[in-house]
Amino acid sequence: MPPRLRVDPANPPKEEWLPVGDALLHLDRYLPDRPAAARVIVLHGGGTHGGFLAPFGVMVQRQGYEAVLPDLPGYGRTQVVDRRGLRYSDWAETATALVGHETANDPRPLVLLGLSMGGMLAYDVAGRRGDIAAVVASCLLDPSRPEVRQQISRTP
């Protein structure tokens, strides 16, 4: 990564843990030097974790906004009871709970930025909540289409 998108060892993200249902959600929070006018939750896709998207957290932080990067259930340092039983709906419920936590006592606008399956998740959560300022999504899959299900499923 170019230096402008690397995590600064002198200013690492603030690590947090948030209980959500039976999970303990791991978060990295990137805080700018001055109070931020808005926050951005960055949602990863399948097979990765929030830390993998650290360059997006740094980019948001350096633009003067606060970034929150969760490790969705089954990935990263988030702790779950049973990884084998996880479904997309668990991600949607977790991300929706995270948004609820972030907006409970904070009136600042909240943006959801989702990459890969995180893009579909951002869109889903915004539809569930209705109080999201904007959605930035890189991938909007329609799992109701058989050809899409075939490509995103591990087994037929």
Side-chain angles (χ1 to χ4, degrees):
M1 285 292 167
R4 64 184 165 74
L5 294 178
R6 292 182 194 159
V7 174
D8 180 356
N11 184 26
K14 179 182 172 193
E15 189 174 43
E16 299 175 11
W17 298 91
L18 176 67
V20 177
D22 291 339
L24 188 58
L25 187 65
H26 175 260
L27 308 169
D28 282 335
R29 189 176 300 270
Y30 293 80
L31 299 167
D33 294 335
R34 61 189 184 282
R39 290 156 298 144
V40 178
I41 295 178
V42 181
L43 299 169
H44 65 79
T48 188
H49 54 88
F52 186 77
L53 300 180
F56 289 91
V58 170
M59 178 182 62
V60 168
Q61 176 190 44
R62 293 201 174 144
Q63 292 297 313
Y65 300 102
E66 182 177 329
V68 180
L69 283 69
D71 291 339
L72 293 167
Y75 296 95
R77 290 182 265 172
T78 289
Q79 300 170 17
V80 296
V81 175
D82 180 15
R83 289 175 48 130
R84 294 171 294 159
L86 291 172
R87 300 289 179 262
Y88 175 82
S89 59
D90 297 308
W91 276 24
E93 290 168 13
T94 299
T96 301
L98 173 59
V99 168
H101 171 77
E102 290 293 315
T103 59
N105 297 307
D106 192 333
R108 294 178 296 166
L110 184 64
V111 173
L112 297 178
L113 188 161
L115 298 147
S116 189
M117 193 165 37
M120 183 172 67
L121 180 63
Y123 181 79
D124 283 350
V125 171
R128 288 173 180 228
R129 294 283 311 186
D131 59 353
I132 302 299
V135 173
V136 180
S138 69
C139 179
L140 297 172
L141 298 173
D142 181 358
S144 69
R145 295 175 49 197
E147 64 273 20
V148 172
R149 280 196 312 276
Q150 181 181 10
Q151 294 298 315
I152 66 172
S153 299
R154 289 184 188 158
T155 60

mmCIF file with all atom_site columns, all heavy atoms in Angstrom, residues 13 40 59 62 83 87 108-109 112 121 123 133 137:
data_model
loop_
_atom_site.group_PDB
_atom_site.id
_atom_site.type_symbol
_atom_site.label_atom_id
_atom_site.label_alt_id
_atom_site.label_comp_id
_atom_site.label_asym_id
_atom_site.label_entity_id
_atom_site.label_seq_id
_atom_site.pdbx_PDB_ins_code
_atom_site.Cartn_x
_atom_site.Cartn_y
_atom_site.Cartn_z
_atom_site.occupancy
_atom_site.B_iso_or_equiv
_atom_site.pdbx_formal_charge
_atom_site.auth_seq_id
_atom_site.auth_comp_id
_atom_site.auth_asym_id
_atom_site.auth_atom_id
_atom_site.pdbx_PDB_model_num
ATOM 1   N N   . PRO A 1 13  ? -5.409  2.038   15.168 1.00 0.00 ? 13  PRO A N   1
ATOM 2   C CA  . PRO A 1 13  ? -6.846  2.148   15.454 1.00 0.00 ? 13  PRO A CA  1
ATOM 3   C C   . PRO A 1 13  ? -7.124  1.796   16.912 1.00 0.00 ? 13  PRO A C   1
ATOM 4   O O   . PRO A 1 13  ? -6.363  1.063   17.550 1.00 0.00 ? 13  PRO A O   1
ATOM 5   C CB  . PRO A 1 13  ? -7.481  1.121   14.514 1.00 0.00 ? 13  PRO A CB  1
ATOM 6   C CG  . PRO A 1 13  ? -6.394  0.157   14.202 1.00 0.00 ? 13  PRO A CG  1
ATOM 7   C CD  . PRO A 1 13  ? -5.117  0.937   14.258 1.00 0.00 ? 13  PRO A CD  1
ATOM 8   N N   . VAL A 1 40  ? -18.176 6.401   9.283  1.00 0.00 ? 40  VAL A N   1
ATOM 9   C CA  . VAL A 1 40  ? -18.300 5.445   8.197  1.00 0.00 ? 40  VAL A CA  1
ATOM 10  C C   . VAL A 1 40  ? -18.038 4.057   8.776  1.00 0.00 ? 40  VAL A C   1
ATOM 11  O O   . VAL A 1 40  ? -16.991 3.824   9.380  1.00 0.00 ? 40  VAL A O   1
ATOM 12  C CB  . VAL A 1 40  ? -17.294 5.730   7.065  1.00 0.00 ? 40  VAL A CB  1
ATOM 13  C CG1 . VAL A 1 40  ? -17.415 4.678   5.961  1.00 0.00 ? 40  VAL A CG1 1
ATOM 14  C CG2 . VAL A 1 40  ? -17.490 7.138   6.507  1.00 0.00 ? 40  VAL A CG2 1
ATOM 15  N N   . MET A 1 59  ? -7.958  5.892   5.027  1.00 0.00 ? 59  MET A N   1
ATOM 16  C CA  . MET A 1 59  ? -8.419  6.875   4.047  1.00 0.00 ? 59  MET A CA  1
ATOM 17  C C   . MET A 1 59  ? -9.543  7.739   4.632  1.00 0.00 ? 59  MET A C   1
ATOM 18  O O   . MET A 1 59  ? -9.523  8.965   4.530  1.00 0.00 ? 59  MET A O   1
ATOM 19  C CB  . MET A 1 59  ? -8.905  6.162   2.789  1.00 0.00 ? 59  MET A CB  1
ATOM 20  C CG  . MET A 1 59  ? -9.457  7.080   1.719  1.00 0.00 ? 59  MET A CG  1
ATOM 21  S SD  . MET A 1 59  ? -10.068 6.183   0.275  1.00 0.00 ? 59  MET A SD  1
ATOM 22  C CE  . MET A 1 59  ? -11.389 5.205   0.973  1.00 0.00 ? 59  MET A CE  1
ATOM 23  N N   . ARG A 1 62  ? -8.141  10.033  7.420  1.00 0.00 ? 62  ARG A N   1
ATOM 24  C CA  . ARG A 1 62  ? -7.337  11.154  6.908  1.00 0.00 ? 62  ARG A CA  1
ATOM 25  C C   . ARG A 1 62  ? -8.184  12.196  6.184  1.00 0.00 ? 62  ARG A C   1
ATOM 26  O O   . ARG A 1 62  ? -7.717  13.302  5.952  1.00 0.00 ? 62  ARG A O   1
ATOM 27  C CB  . ARG A 1 62  ? -6.216  10.618  6.029  1.00 0.00 ? 62  ARG A CB  1
ATOM 28  C CG  . ARG A 1 62  ? -5.236  9.833   6.892  1.00 0.00 ? 62  ARG A CG  1
ATOM 29  C CD  . ARG A 1 62  ? -3.889  9.683   6.299  1.00 0.00 ? 62  ARG A CD  1
ATOM 30  N NE  . ARG A 1 62  ? -3.021  9.038   7.296  1.00 0.00 ? 62  ARG A NE  1
ATOM 31  C CZ  . ARG A 1 62  ? -2.087  8.174   6.998  1.00 0.00 ? 62  ARG A CZ  1
ATOM 32  N NH1 . ARG A 1 62  ? -1.843  7.855   5.745  1.00 0.00 ? 62  ARG A NH1 1
ATOM 33  N NH2 . ARG A 1 62  ? -1.354  7.645   7.954  1.00 0.00 ? 62  ARG A NH2 1
ATOM 34  N N   . ARG A 1 83  ? -18.972 -21.318 14.673 1.00 0.00 ? 83  ARG A N   1
ATOM 35  C CA  . ARG A 1 83  ? -18.742 -20.756 13.336 1.00 0.00 ? 83  ARG A CA  1
ATOM 36  C C   . ARG A 1 83  ? -19.479 -21.535 12.247 1.00 0.00 ? 83  ARG A C   1
ATOM 37  O O   . ARG A 1 83  ? -19.893 -20.962 11.248 1.00 0.00 ? 83  ARG A O   1
ATOM 38  C CB  . ARG A 1 83  ? -17.244 -20.770 13.009 1.00 0.00 ? 83  ARG A CB  1
ATOM 39  C CG  . ARG A 1 83  ? -16.437 -19.787 13.782 1.00 0.00 ? 83  ARG A CG  1
ATOM 40  C CD  . ARG A 1 83  ? -14.968 -19.952 13.473 1.00 0.00 ? 83  ARG A CD  1
ATOM 41  N NE  . ARG A 1 83  ? -14.751 -20.013 12.044 1.00 0.00 ? 83  ARG A NE  1
ATOM 42  C CZ  . ARG A 1 83  ? -13.869 -19.295 11.392 1.00 0.00 ? 83  ARG A CZ  1
ATOM 43  N NH1 . ARG A 1 83  ? -13.097 -18.471 12.042 1.00 0.00 ? 83  ARG A NH1 1
ATOM 44  N NH2 . ARG A 1 83  ? -13.733 -19.423 10.090 1.00 0.00 ? 83  ARG A NH2 1
ATOM 45  N N   . ARG A 1 87  ? -24.790 -17.899 9.206  1.00 0.00 ? 87  ARG A N   1
ATOM 46  C CA  . ARG A 1 87  ? -25.434 -17.639 7.919  1.00 0.00 ? 87  ARG A CA  1
ATOM 47  C C   . ARG A 1 87  ? -25.345 -16.138 7.631  1.00 0.00 ? 87  ARG A C   1
ATOM 48  O O   . ARG A 1 87  ? -25.064 -15.338 8.512  1.00 0.00 ? 87  ARG A O   1
ATOM 49  C CB  . ARG A 1 87  ? -26.922 -18.047 7.961  1.00 0.00 ? 87  ARG A CB  1
ATOM 50  C CG  . ARG A 1 87  ? -27.156 -19.511 8.259  1.00 0.00 ? 87  ARG A CG  1
ATOM 51  C CD  . ARG A 1 87  ? -26.736 -20.376 7.080  1.00 0.00 ? 87  ARG A CD  1
ATOM 52  N NE  . ARG A 1 87  ? -26.924 -21.791 7.330  1.00 0.00 ? 87  ARG A NE  1
ATOM 53  C CZ  . ARG A 1 87  ? -25.976 -22.637 7.727  1.00 0.00 ? 87  ARG A CZ  1
ATOM 54  N NH1 . ARG A 1 87  ? -24.756 -22.201 7.942  1.00 0.00 ? 87  ARG A NH1 1
ATOM 55  N NH2 . ARG A 1 87  ? -26.232 -23.909 7.904  1.00 0.00 ? 87  ARG A NH2 1
ATOM 56  N N   . ARG A 1 108 ? -24.654 12.154  14.650 1.00 0.00 ? 108 ARG A N   1
ATOM 57  C CA  . ARG A 1 108 ? -23.888 12.406  13.428 1.00 0.00 ? 108 ARG A CA  1
ATOM 58  C C   . ARG A 1 108 ? -24.315 11.455  12.310 1.00 0.00 ? 108 ARG A C   1
ATOM 59  O O   . ARG A 1 108 ? -24.697 10.314  12.564 1.00 0.00 ? 108 ARG A O   1
ATOM 60  C CB  . ARG A 1 108 ? -22.384 12.223  13.679 1.00 0.00 ? 108 ARG A CB  1
ATOM 61  C CG  . ARG A 1 108 ? -21.795 13.248  14.625 1.00 0.00 ? 108 ARG A CG  1
ATOM 62  C CD  . ARG A 1 108 ? -20.324 12.978  14.862 1.00 0.00 ? 108 ARG A CD  1
ATOM 63  N NE  . ARG A 1 108 ? -20.157 11.687  15.533 1.00 0.00 ? 108 ARG A NE  1
ATOM 64  C CZ  . ARG A 1 108 ? -19.001 11.044  15.642 1.00 0.00 ? 108 ARG A CZ  1
ATOM 65  N NH1 . ARG A 1 108 ? -17.898 11.567  15.120 1.00 0.00 ? 108 ARG A NH1 1
ATOM 66  N NH2 . ARG A 1 108 ? -18.924 9.896   16.270 1.00 0.00 ? 108 ARG A NH2 1
ATOM 67  N N   . PRO A 1 109 ? -24.242 11.910  11.063 1.00 0.00 ? 109 PRO A N   1
ATOM 68  C CA  . PRO A 1 109 ? -24.582 11.028  9.939  1.00 0.00 ? 109 PRO A CA  1
ATOM 69  C C   . PRO A 1 109 ? -23.702 9.788   9.926  1.00 0.00 ? 109 PRO A C   1
ATOM 70  O O   . PRO A 1 109 ? -22.525 9.835   10.293 1.00 0.00 ? 109 PRO A O   1
ATOM 71  C CB  . PRO A 1 109 ? -24.303 11.903  8.708  1.00 0.00 ? 109 PRO A CB  1
ATOM 72  C CG  . PRO A 1 109 ? -24.303 13.300  9.204  1.00 0.00 ? 109 PRO A CG  1
ATOM 73  C CD  . PRO A 1 109 ? -23.853 13.246  10.631 1.00 0.00 ? 109 PRO A CD  1
ATOM 74  N N   . LEU A 1 112 ? -22.535 3.708   5.355  1.00 0.00 ? 112 LEU A N   1
ATOM 75  C CA  . LEU A 1 112 ? -22.100 2.317   5.265  1.00 0.00 ? 112 LEU A CA  1
ATOM 76  C C   . LEU A 1 112 ? -21.322 2.137   3.977  1.00 0.00 ? 112 LEU A C   1
ATOM 77  O O   . LEU A 1 112 ? -21.820 2.462   2.894  1.00 0.00 ? 112 LEU A O   1
ATOM 78  C CB  . LEU A 1 112 ? -23.302 1.372   5.283  1.00 0.00 ? 112 LEU A CB  1
ATOM 79  C CG  . LEU A 1 112 ? -24.151 1.395   6.544  1.00 0.00 ? 112 LEU A CG  1
ATOM 80  C CD1 . LEU A 1 112 ? -25.335 0.438   6.403  1.00 0.00 ? 112 LEU A CD1 1
ATOM 81  C CD2 . LEU A 1 112 ? -23.327 1.035   7.761  1.00 0.00 ? 112 LEU A CD2 1
ATOM 82  N N   . LEU A 1 121 ? -24.459 -6.388  2.074  1.00 0.00 ? 121 LEU A N   1
ATOM 83  C CA  . LEU A 1 121 ? -24.793 -6.241  3.486  1.00 0.00 ? 121 LEU A CA  1
ATOM 84  C C   . LEU A 1 121 ? -25.106 -4.782  3.824  1.00 0.00 ? 121 LEU A C   1
ATOM 85  O O   . LEU A 1 121 ? -26.077 -4.496  4.524  1.00 0.00 ? 121 LEU A O   1
ATOM 86  C CB  . LEU A 1 121 ? -23.638 -6.763  4.345  1.00 0.00 ? 121 LEU A CB  1
ATOM 87  C CG  . LEU A 1 121 ? -23.807 -6.693  5.845  1.00 0.00 ? 121 LEU A CG  1
ATOM 88  C CD1 . LEU A 1 121 ? -24.975 -7.555  6.292  1.00 0.00 ? 121 LEU A CD1 1
ATOM 89  C CD2 . LEU A 1 121 ? -22.517 -7.146  6.532  1.00 0.00 ? 121 LEU A CD2 1
ATOM 90  N N   . TYR A 1 123 ? -26.221 -2.474  1.867  1.00 0.00 ? 123 TYR A N   1
ATOM 91  C CA  . TYR A 1 123 ? -27.514 -2.168  1.259  1.00 0.00 ? 123 TYR A CA  1
ATOM 92  C C   . TYR A 1 123 ? -28.656 -2.752  2.093  1.00 0.00 ? 123 TYR A C   1
ATOM 93  O O   . TYR A 1 123 ? -29.657 -2.080  2.371  1.00 0.00 ? 123 TYR A O   1
ATOM 94  C CB  . TYR A 1 123 ? -27.533 -2.718  -0.163 1.00 0.00 ? 123 TYR A CB  1
ATOM 95  C CG  . TYR A 1 123 ? -28.800 -2.449  -0.925 1.00 0.00 ? 123 TYR A CG  1
ATOM 96  C CD1 . TYR A 1 123 ? -29.036 -1.216  -1.507 1.00 0.00 ? 123 TYR A CD1 1
ATOM 97  C CD2 . TYR A 1 123 ? -29.765 -3.448  -1.069 1.00 0.00 ? 123 TYR A CD2 1
ATOM 98  C CE1 . TYR A 1 123 ? -30.195 -0.968  -2.221 1.00 0.00 ? 123 TYR A CE1 1
ATOM 99  C CE2 . TYR A 1 123 ? -30.930 -3.215  -1.782 1.00 0.00 ? 123 TYR A CE2 1
ATOM 100 C CZ  . TYR A 1 123 ? -31.146 -1.974  -2.351 1.00 0.00 ? 123 TYR A CZ  1
ATOM 101 O OH  . TYR A 1 123 ? -32.289 -1.744  -3.046 1.00 0.00 ? 123 TYR A OH  1
ATOM 102 N N   . ALA A 1 133 ? -27.167 7.685   6.254  1.00 0.00 ? 133 ALA A N   1
ATOM 103 C CA  . ALA A 1 133 ? -27.002 8.864   5.403  1.00 0.00 ? 133 ALA A CA  1
ATOM 104 C C   . ALA A 1 133 ? -26.654 8.496   3.970  1.00 0.00 ? 133 ALA A C   1
ATOM 105 O O   . ALA A 1 133 ? -27.104 9.154   3.027  1.00 0.00 ? 133 ALA A O   1
ATOM 106 C CB  . ALA A 1 133 ? -25.917 9.779   5.982  1.00 0.00 ? 133 ALA A CB  1
ATOM 107 N N   . ALA A 1 137 ? -21.312 0.929   -2.097 1.00 0.00 ? 137 ALA A N   1
ATOM 108 C CA  . ALA A 1 137 ? -21.244 -0.527  -2.218 1.00 0.00 ? 137 ALA A CA  1
ATOM 109 C C   . ALA A 1 137 ? -20.534 -0.925  -3.507 1.00 0.00 ? 137 ALA A C   1
ATOM 110 O O   . ALA A 1 137 ? -20.780 -0.341  -4.559 1.00 0.00 ? 137 ALA A O   1
ATOM 111 C CB  . ALA A 1 137 ? -22.651 -1.113  -2.201 1.00 0.00 ? 137 ALA A CB  1
#
